[in-house]
Amino acid sequence: ASFGGRIDDIEAVSNNPNIIFVATAAGGIFKSEDHTATWKAVFDEEGTALSIGDIAIAPSDPDIVWAGTGEPNNRQSSSWGDGVYKSIDGGDTWEFMGLKETHHIGRIMINPDNPDEVYVAALGHLWGANPERGVYRTKDGGKTWEKCLYINEDTGVVDVVLEKNGRVLYAASYQRRRRGWGFIGGGPHSGLYRSLDGGDTWEQLTKGLPKGDLGRIGLAISRSHPNIVYAAIQTKNPGIFRSEDRGSTWTRMGPQPEREHFLVYFSKIRIDPRNPNK
């Protein structure tokens, strides 16, 4: 097995899908401009950490690309990062934008109408406690940051999704800790949160979700029906959950995955832009 073999994210420019970015767990970022026929490394010069957790392309300006360093997986071999980077020339050059001690980035979301407003799901240190974790928000393109959702020093945020209105957010907190003798992948502080005001205030969502300790959670909002939200939840009885009222209530959908590890690593869930049932 290759330590650098994990792919953490794939993103394409919405109005030009020939342009694709691939984020690797330990090998930086690769870009294709000809629909995957050829590739070039685009993060080796400016980036000091080549482990990438997530990439985000601004919906309103495809030249603006964000990269969060540090893969969000939890292996002994998982590499950590040194914060977030921003490109304003389509990934050709990058500038460090801070959040160095977050170590692992699960997701970056950009306001569809305002590329200066960005949300970062930060997991924090894998091997120890630290306060640099939660949901970070910038309203000035990364010049300054505020931590708008914080649970505690042992619990970060592994996923955050933003409705196309730029106001409704969902965030998945994740309590985890890697030790030399094992891994704790869940706890009472893992959970699902919603904000209706762009991250100013948050409420925890529980109605219809599993009871007890939760693990990793993956999130997705339907683009065509934004009241429909999905959550892939790791727990003793893992499964896919769906809400049709913006997260107020949830229903388990279909059978659970055959292996709990399905959601430890493959917790990313995506919805067909035109069909919320797919």
Side-chain angles (χ1 to χ4, degrees), residues 251-268:
T251 302
R252 177 186 290 273
M253 308 301 293
Q256 69 184 60
E258 292 182 3
R259 297 180 61 200
E260 186 180 359
H261 273 57
F262 175 82
L263 296 180
V264 174
Y265 290 104
F266 308 111
S267 64
K268 295 186 179 182

Side-chain angles (χ1 to χ4, degrees), residues 111-112 117 119 137 139 161-170 194-202:
N111 188 314
E117 187 171 303
Y119 298 86
R137 177 179 64 184
K139 294 184 176 181
V161 289
L162 175 65
E163 200 175 299
K164 60 185 178 181
N165 62 17
R167 299 293 295 167
V168 179
L169 288 140
Y170 304 86
R194 178 182 66 186
S195 173
L196 301 175
D197 52 17
D200 289 338
T201 61
W202 297 82

Side-chain angles (χ1 to χ4, degrees), residues 173 188-194 202-207 214 247:
S173 63
H189 299 293
S190 297
L192 188 53
Y193 293 81
R194 178 182 66 186
W202 297 82
E203 59 181 319
Q204 188 170 3
L205 306 174
T206 60
K207 192 172 183 180
L214 303 180

Side-chain angles (χ1 to χ4, degrees), residues 11 18 34 46 88 93:
E11 299 289 343
N18 286 318
D34 50 19
E46 290 91 346
I88 58 173
T93 61

Side-chain angles (χ1 to χ4, degrees), residues 151-168:
I151 310 301
N152 57 46
E153 290 191 349
D154 300 308
T155 308
V157 172
V158 68
D159 206 354
V160 62
V161 289
L162 175 65
E163 200 175 299
K164 60 185 178 181
N165 62 17
R167 299 293 295 167
V168 179

